[in-house]
């Protein structure tokens, strides 16, 4: 029996994963360019700095993750994952190019951005669970945790590069070109998907089509207390904690009275923290439930330190700590949920995970925004801290329950 390889970048020894990672990095930079350009377009060109309009775009873009939940998980478990990814990536690329052409020609209107955000959200809802479970086909279960961590590192490295690149493009040639470049970046993923050595893929078991197949995922999760605990933790932190655009922008402007450059530095320091968290996750040989507890508790601590930080640079340091904790928590939940789930159910379980982690943003963002506007930005961070500590308590309960069940089973066998 062969032992799994070790090392931070061990998944890159696999040809198919190397090809995938190269295409994904290019596409991730494009995605962050589009997010930055889309906010800029809505705020400065289509409205008079209307933050509510940006909130509507966020709701339309992330809402489909919850709205389409049964169908997205069903598709991930029943269809050929490589072909489904090629379809979703091609659709998202075409949407980015269409929005770019409308913007470049000066025809774009706010309602059109809303429509494109919703369509992009629908395509992304089908794409996300497949993209997460497809990693298992590339590297197998032995290196799954490592590959998930490297994917997160790529996404967050792009988070440092994309907004800066978008700023340069917008300043030099206009907002529409950022959308067009994002559309072109999807060609990198499509090329990587077509260059795979198909014979070396490790296909996940496909689910059999049966009546009620879409709801089977909900029933499966309901029968697994460990999965329920992880989803409750994700709901708490995803809804009330992962609102860093609100936290950072309101603290930067209203508390520390800094300019756009100061805001950019804070965003980059946060991204450095998340990349560090991804590197630490990549070093671990396997995911453990205790890492979820640690990630949630340190997330709460980081938000607390950020809320009470007396100076700009101490606030930046707290953001770095919070970034490490965020990636520890999200990566561990991703790996644990995949590795502890039957292969034929992974797509539906991961669709639930993505739906709760992203789809609850439209619920939490307005609440956190209201808190930042009224009691103040520091209080909005207190909400984030509370979500981390509450999630840590859920983890403690789940671990104690697991230990109790093992103790009972041990006594039962002894009898």
């Amino acid at each position: 029996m062969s032992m799994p390889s070790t090392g931070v970048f061990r998944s890159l020894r696999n040809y198919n994963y190397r090809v995938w990672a190269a295409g994904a990095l290019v596409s991730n930079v494009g995605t962050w360019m589009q997010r930055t350009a889309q906010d800029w377009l809505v705020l400065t060109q289509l409205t008079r700095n209307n933050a509510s309009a940006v909130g509507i775009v966020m709701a339309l873009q992330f809402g489909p993750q919850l709205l389409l939940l049964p169908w997205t998980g069903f598709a991930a478990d029943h269809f050929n994952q490589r072909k489904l990814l090629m379809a979703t990536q091609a659709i998202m690329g075409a949407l980015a190019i269409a929005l770019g052409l409308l913007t470049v020609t000066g025809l774009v209107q706010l309602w059109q951005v809303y429509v494109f955000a919703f369509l992009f959200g629908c395509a992304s809802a089908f794409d996300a669970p497949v993209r997460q479970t497809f990693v298992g086909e590339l590297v197998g279960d032995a290196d799954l945790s490592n590959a998930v961590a490297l994917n997160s590192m790529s996404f967050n490295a792009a988070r440092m590069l994309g907004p800066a690149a978008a700023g340069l493009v917008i300043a030099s040639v206009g907002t529409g070109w950022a959308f067009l470049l994002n559309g072109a970046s999807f060609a990198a993923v499509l090329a990587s998907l077509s260059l795979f050595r198909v014979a070396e893929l490790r296909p996940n078991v496909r689910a059999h089509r049966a009546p009620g197949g879409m709801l089977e995922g909900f029933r499966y999760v309901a029968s697994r207390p460990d999965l329920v605990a992880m989803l409750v933790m994700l709901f708490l932190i995803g809804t009330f904690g992962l609102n860093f655009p609100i936290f950072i922008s309101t603290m930067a402007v209203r508390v520390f009275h800094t300019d756009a450059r100061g805001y950019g530095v804070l965003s980059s320091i946060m991204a450095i923290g998340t990349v560090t968290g991804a590197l630490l996750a990549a070093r671990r040989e396997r995911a453990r439930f205790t890492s979820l507890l640690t990630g949630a508790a340190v997330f709460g601590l980081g938000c607390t330190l950020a809320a009470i930080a007396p100076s700009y640079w101490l606030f930046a340091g707290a953001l770095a700590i919070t970034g490490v904790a965020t990636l520890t928590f999200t990566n561990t939940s991703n790996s644990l949920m995949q590795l502890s789930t039957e292969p034929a159910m992974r797509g539906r379980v991961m669709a639930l995970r993505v739906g709760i982690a992203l789809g609850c943003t439209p619920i939490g963002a307005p609440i956190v925004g209201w808190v930042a506007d009224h009691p103040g930005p520091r209080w909005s961070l207190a909400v984030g801290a509370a979500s981390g500590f509450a999630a840590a308590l859920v983890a403690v309960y789940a671990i104690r329950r697991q230990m109790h069940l093992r103790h009972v089973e041990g006594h039962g066998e002894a009898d």
Side-chain angles (χ1 to χ4, degrees), residues 368-390:
V368 172
W370 183 89
V371 172
D373 280 340
H374 294 88
R378 292 187 186 275
W379 285 101
S380 70
L381 274 160
V383 173
S387 74
F389 292 134

PDB file of all heavy atoms in Angstrom, residues 368-390:
ATOM      1  N   VAL A 368     -25.018  43.549   9.060  1.00  0.00           N
ATOM      2  CA  VAL A 368     -23.707  44.050   9.476  1.00  0.00           C
ATOM      3  C   VAL A 368     -23.521  45.494   8.992  1.00  0.00           C
ATOM      4  O   VAL A 368     -22.969  46.340   9.709  1.00  0.00           O
ATOM      5  CB  VAL A 368     -22.585  43.132   8.945  1.00  0.00           C
ATOM      6  CG1 VAL A 368     -21.210  43.734   9.191  1.00  0.00           C
ATOM      7  CG2 VAL A 368     -22.676  41.754   9.600  1.00  0.00           C
ATOM      8  N   GLY A 369     -24.004  45.806   7.781  1.00  0.00           N
ATOM      9  CA  GLY A 369     -23.927  47.170   7.250  1.00  0.00           C
ATOM     10  C   GLY A 369     -24.719  48.148   8.114  1.00  0.00           C
ATOM     11  O   GLY A 369     -24.257  49.263   8.389  1.00  0.00           O
ATOM     12  N   TRP A 370     -25.912  47.732   8.559  1.00  0.00           N
ATOM     13  CA  TRP A 370     -26.736  48.586   9.424  1.00  0.00           C
ATOM     14  C   TRP A 370     -26.018  48.857  10.746  1.00  0.00           C
ATOM     15  O   TRP A 370     -26.009  49.984  11.240  1.00  0.00           O
ATOM     16  CB  TRP A 370     -28.091  47.925   9.682  1.00  0.00           C
ATOM     17  CG  TRP A 370     -29.013  48.782  10.500  1.00  0.00           C
ATOM     18  CD1 TRP A 370     -29.894  49.714  10.051  1.00  0.00           C
ATOM     19  CD2 TRP A 370     -29.107  48.810  11.944  1.00  0.00           C
ATOM     20  NE1 TRP A 370     -30.548  50.311  11.103  1.00  0.00           N
ATOM     21  CE2 TRP A 370     -30.082  49.789  12.274  1.00  0.00           C
ATOM     22  CE3 TRP A 370     -28.473  48.112  12.961  1.00  0.00           C
ATOM     23  CZ2 TRP A 370     -30.423  50.057  13.592  1.00  0.00           C
ATOM     24  CZ3 TRP A 370     -28.801  48.393  14.279  1.00  0.00           C
ATOM     25  CH2 TRP A 370     -29.773  49.355  14.585  1.00  0.00           C
ATOM     26  N   VAL A 371     -25.415  47.806  11.315  1.00  0.00           N
ATOM     27  CA  VAL A 371     -24.676  47.972  12.578  1.00  0.00           C
ATOM     28  C   VAL A 371     -23.518  48.949  12.391  1.00  0.00           C
ATOM     29  O   VAL A 371     -23.283  49.822  13.231  1.00  0.00           O
ATOM     30  CB  VAL A 371     -24.158  46.609  13.095  1.00  0.00           C
ATOM     31  CG1 VAL A 371     -23.235  46.798  14.303  1.00  0.00           C
ATOM     32  CG2 VAL A 371     -25.331  45.699  13.475  1.00  0.00           C
ATOM     33  N   ALA A 372     -22.801  48.824  11.258  1.00  0.00           N
ATOM     34  CA  ALA A 372     -21.679  49.732  10.984  1.00  0.00           C
ATOM     35  C   ALA A 372     -22.156  51.174  10.827  1.00  0.00           C
ATOM     36  O   ALA A 372     -21.473  52.116  11.243  1.00  0.00           O
ATOM     37  CB  ALA A 372     -20.932  49.282   9.731  1.00  0.00           C
ATOM     38  N   ASP A 373     -23.344  51.363  10.232  1.00  0.00           N
ATOM     39  CA  ASP A 373     -23.882  52.708  10.000  1.00  0.00           C
ATOM     40  C   ASP A 373     -24.400  53.363  11.275  1.00  0.00           C
ATOM     41  O   ASP A 373     -24.354  54.583  11.413  1.00  0.00           O
ATOM     42  CB  ASP A 373     -25.029  52.654   8.976  1.00  0.00           C
ATOM     43  CG  ASP A 373     -24.510  52.570   7.548  1.00  0.00           C
ATOM     44  OD1 ASP A 373     -23.338  52.934   7.321  1.00  0.00           O
ATOM     45  OD2 ASP A 373     -25.271  52.132   6.668  1.00  0.00           O
ATOM     46  N   HIS A 374     -24.929  52.558  12.203  1.00  0.00           N
ATOM     47  CA  HIS A 374     -25.605  53.136  13.372  1.00  0.00           C
ATOM     48  C   HIS A 374     -24.775  53.032  14.662  1.00  0.00           C
ATOM     49  O   HIS A 374     -24.184  54.033  15.059  1.00  0.00           O
ATOM     50  CB  HIS A 374     -27.016  52.539  13.500  1.00  0.00           C
ATOM     51  CG  HIS A 374     -27.908  52.945  12.354  1.00  0.00           C
ATOM     52  ND1 HIS A 374     -27.976  52.238  11.165  1.00  0.00           N
ATOM     53  CD2 HIS A 374     -28.725  54.009  12.189  1.00  0.00           C
ATOM     54  CE1 HIS A 374     -28.801  52.856  10.332  1.00  0.00           C
ATOM     55  NE2 HIS A 374     -29.277  53.934  10.934  1.00  0.00           N
ATOM     56  N   PRO A 375     -24.697  51.854  15.322  1.00  0.00           N
ATOM     57  CA  PRO A 375     -23.819  51.836  16.499  1.00  0.00           C
ATOM     58  C   PRO A 375     -22.366  52.165  16.149  1.00  0.00           C
ATOM     59  O   PRO A 375     -21.655  52.752  16.938  1.00  0.00           O
ATOM     60  CB  PRO A 375     -23.950  50.395  17.024  1.00  0.00           C
ATOM     61  CG  PRO A 375     -25.256  49.918  16.496  1.00  0.00           C
ATOM     62  CD  PRO A 375     -25.419  50.581  15.149  1.00  0.00           C
ATOM     63  N   GLY A 376     -21.901  51.755  14.939  1.00  0.00           N
ATOM     64  CA  GLY A 376     -20.542  52.102  14.518  1.00  0.00           C
ATOM     65  C   GLY A 376     -19.761  50.923  13.993  1.00  0.00           C
ATOM     66  O   GLY A 376     -20.099  49.764  14.254  1.00  0.00           O
ATOM     67  N   PRO A 377     -18.667  51.199  13.211  1.00  0.00           N
ATOM     68  CA  PRO A 377     -17.871  50.133  12.592  1.00  0.00           C
ATOM     69  C   PRO A 377     -17.292  49.129  13.587  1.00  0.00           C
ATOM     70  O   PRO A 377     -17.233  47.938  13.297  1.00  0.00           O
ATOM     71  CB  PRO A 377     -16.751  50.903  11.883  1.00  0.00           C
ATOM     72  CG  PRO A 377     -17.297  52.261  11.646  1.00  0.00           C
ATOM     73  CD  PRO A 377     -18.194  52.539  12.813  1.00  0.00           C
ATOM     74  N   ARG A 378     -16.866  49.614  14.770  1.00  0.00           N
ATOM     75  CA  ARG A 378     -16.291  48.690  15.757  1.00  0.00           C
ATOM     76  C   ARG A 378     -17.332  47.666  16.220  1.00  0.00           C
ATOM     77  O   ARG A 378     -17.001  46.500  16.481  1.00  0.00           O
ATOM     78  CB  ARG A 378     -15.728  49.462  16.944  1.00  0.00           C
ATOM     79  CG  ARG A 378     -14.481  50.308  16.597  1.00  0.00           C
ATOM     80  CD  ARG A 378     -13.872  50.901  17.853  1.00  0.00           C
ATOM     81  NE  ARG A 378     -12.784  51.819  17.565  1.00  0.00           N
ATOM     82  CZ  ARG A 378     -11.514  51.456  17.362  1.00  0.00           C
ATOM     83  NH1 ARG A 378     -11.202  50.175  17.400  1.00  0.00           N
ATOM     84  NH2 ARG A 378     -10.577  52.356  17.124  1.00  0.00           N
ATOM     85  N   TRP A 379     -18.594  48.103  16.308  1.00  0.00           N
ATOM     86  CA  TRP A 379     -19.664  47.186  16.726  1.00  0.00           C
ATOM     87  C   TRP A 379     -19.950  46.140  15.646  1.00  0.00           C
ATOM     88  O   TRP A 379     -20.341  45.009  15.957  1.00  0.00           O
ATOM     89  CB  TRP A 379     -20.920  47.959  17.079  1.00  0.00           C
ATOM     90  CG  TRP A 379     -20.798  48.654  18.400  1.00  0.00           C
ATOM     91  CD1 TRP A 379     -20.539  49.973  18.628  1.00  0.00           C
ATOM     92  CD2 TRP A 379     -20.894  48.043  19.692  1.00  0.00           C
ATOM     93  NE1 TRP A 379     -20.462  50.230  19.971  1.00  0.00           N
ATOM     94  CE2 TRP A 379     -20.681  49.059  20.654  1.00  0.00           C
ATOM     95  CE3 TRP A 379     -21.135  46.742  20.134  1.00  0.00           C
ATOM     96  CZ2 TRP A 379     -20.697  48.813  22.021  1.00  0.00           C
ATOM     97  CZ3 TRP A 379     -21.161  46.494  21.514  1.00  0.00           C
ATOM     98  CH2 TRP A 379     -20.942  47.510  22.424  1.00  0.00           C
ATOM     99  N   SER A 380     -19.756  46.503  14.371  1.00  0.00           N
ATOM    100  CA  SER A 380     -19.960  45.507  13.306  1.00  0.00           C
ATOM    101  C   SER A 380     -18.915  44.395  13.433  1.00  0.00           C
ATOM    102  O   SER A 380     -19.219  43.216  13.202  1.00  0.00           O
ATOM    103  CB  SER A 380     -19.896  46.166  11.925  1.00  0.00           C
ATOM    104  OG  SER A 380     -18.588  46.594  11.611  1.00  0.00           O
ATOM    105  N   LEU A 381     -17.693  44.758  13.812  1.00  0.00           N
ATOM    106  CA  LEU A 381     -16.661  43.744  14.049  1.00  0.00           C
ATOM    107  C   LEU A 381     -16.990  42.893  15.273  1.00  0.00           C
ATOM    108  O   LEU A 381     -16.649  41.706  15.322  1.00  0.00           O
ATOM    109  CB  LEU A 381     -15.296  44.417  14.228  1.00  0.00           C
ATOM    110  CG  LEU A 381     -14.540  44.695  12.922  1.00  0.00           C
ATOM    111  CD1 LEU A 381     -13.485  45.765  13.119  1.00  0.00           C
ATOM    112  CD2 LEU A 381     -13.915  43.418  12.371  1.00  0.00           C
ATOM    113  N   ALA A 382     -17.676  43.499  16.255  1.00  0.00           N
ATOM    114  CA  ALA A 382     -18.118  42.729  17.425  1.00  0.00           C
ATOM    115  C   ALA A 382     -19.108  41.643  17.009  1.00  0.00           C
ATOM    116  O   ALA A 382     -19.104  40.540  17.565  1.00  0.00           O
ATOM    117  CB  ALA A 382     -18.742  43.659  18.453  1.00  0.00           C
ATOM    118  N   VAL A 383     -19.946  41.942  16.003  1.00  0.00           N
ATOM    119  CA  VAL A 383     -20.875  40.935  15.469  1.00  0.00           C
ATOM    120  C   VAL A 383     -20.073  39.782  14.856  1.00  0.00           C
ATOM    121  O   VAL A 383     -20.379  38.598  15.068  1.00  0.00           O
ATOM    122  CB  VAL A 383     -21.819  41.563  14.419  1.00  0.00           C
ATOM    123  CG1 VAL A 383     -22.661  40.483  13.738  1.00  0.00           C
ATOM    124  CG2 VAL A 383     -22.725  42.608  15.066  1.00  0.00           C
ATOM    125  N   GLY A 384     -19.013  40.134  14.092  1.00  0.00           N
ATOM    126  CA  GLY A 384     -18.150  39.101  13.511  1.00  0.00           C
ATOM    127  C   GLY A 384     -17.482  38.255  14.580  1.00  0.00           C
ATOM    128  O   GLY A 384     -17.413  37.028  14.458  1.00  0.00           O
ATOM    129  N   ALA A 385     -16.994  38.910  15.643  1.00  0.00           N
ATOM    130  CA  ALA A 385     -16.359  38.181  16.741  1.00  0.00           C
ATOM    131  C   ALA A 385     -17.343  37.213  17.395  1.00  0.00           C
ATOM    132  O   ALA A 385     -17.003  36.053  17.671  1.00  0.00           O
ATOM    133  CB  ALA A 385     -15.826  39.170  17.778  1.00  0.00           C
ATOM    134  N   ALA A 386     -18.564  37.679  17.626  1.00  0.00           N
ATOM    135  CA  ALA A 386     -19.594  36.827  18.239  1.00  0.00           C
ATOM    136  C   ALA A 386     -19.877  35.603  17.381  1.00  0.00           C
ATOM    137  O   ALA A 386     -20.087  34.500  17.901  1.00  0.00           O
ATOM    138  CB  ALA A 386     -20.869  37.642  18.460  1.00  0.00           C
ATOM    139  N   SER A 387     -19.864  35.778  16.049  1.00  0.00           N
ATOM    140  CA  SER A 387     -20.136  34.640  15.152  1.00  0.00           C
ATOM    141  C   SER A 387     -19.033  33.587  15.283  1.00  0.00           C
ATOM    142  O   SER A 387     -19.308  32.380  15.266  1.00  0.00           O
ATOM    143  CB  SER A 387     -20.262  35.110  13.704  1.00  0.00           C
ATOM    144  OG  SER A 387     -19.001  35.448  13.144  1.00  0.00           O
ATOM    145  N   GLY A 388     -17.763  34.041  15.431  1.00  0.00           N
ATOM    146  CA  GLY A 388     -16.658  33.105  15.587  1.00  0.00           C
ATOM    147  C   GLY A 388     -16.743  32.334  16.899  1.00  0.00           C
ATOM    148  O   GLY A 388     -16.582  31.109  16.933  1.00  0.00           O
ATOM    149  N   PHE A 389     -17.018  33.050  17.993  1.00  0.00           N
ATOM    150  CA  PHE A 389     -17.108  32.387  19.301  1.00  0.00           C
ATOM    151  C   PHE A 389     -18.314  31.436  19.363  1.00  0.00           C
ATOM    152  O   PHE A 389     -18.231  30.358  19.949  1.00  0.00           O
ATOM    153  CB  PHE A 389     -17.188  33.430  20.418  1.00  0.00           C
ATOM    154  CG  PHE A 389     -15.913  34.214  20.592  1.00  0.00           C
ATOM    155  CD1 PHE A 389     -15.940  35.595  20.732  1.00  0.00           C
ATOM    156  CD2 PHE A 389     -14.681  33.568  20.619  1.00  0.00           C
ATOM    157  CE1 PHE A 389     -14.762  36.317  20.890  1.00  0.00           C
ATOM    158  CE2 PHE A 389     -13.491  34.281  20.774  1.00  0.00           C
ATOM    159  CZ  PHE A 389     -13.531  35.663  20.905  1.00  0.00           C
ATOM    160  N   ALA A 390     -19.436  31.845  18.736  1.00  0.00           N
ATOM    161  CA  ALA A 390     -20.618  30.975  18.706  1.00  0.00           C
ATOM    162  C   ALA A 390     -20.320  29.692  17.927  1.00  0.00           C
ATOM    163  O   ALA A 390     -20.705  28.588  18.337  1.00  0.00           O
ATOM    164  CB  ALA A 390     -21.803  31.716  18.082  1.00  0.00           C
TER     165      ALA A 390
END
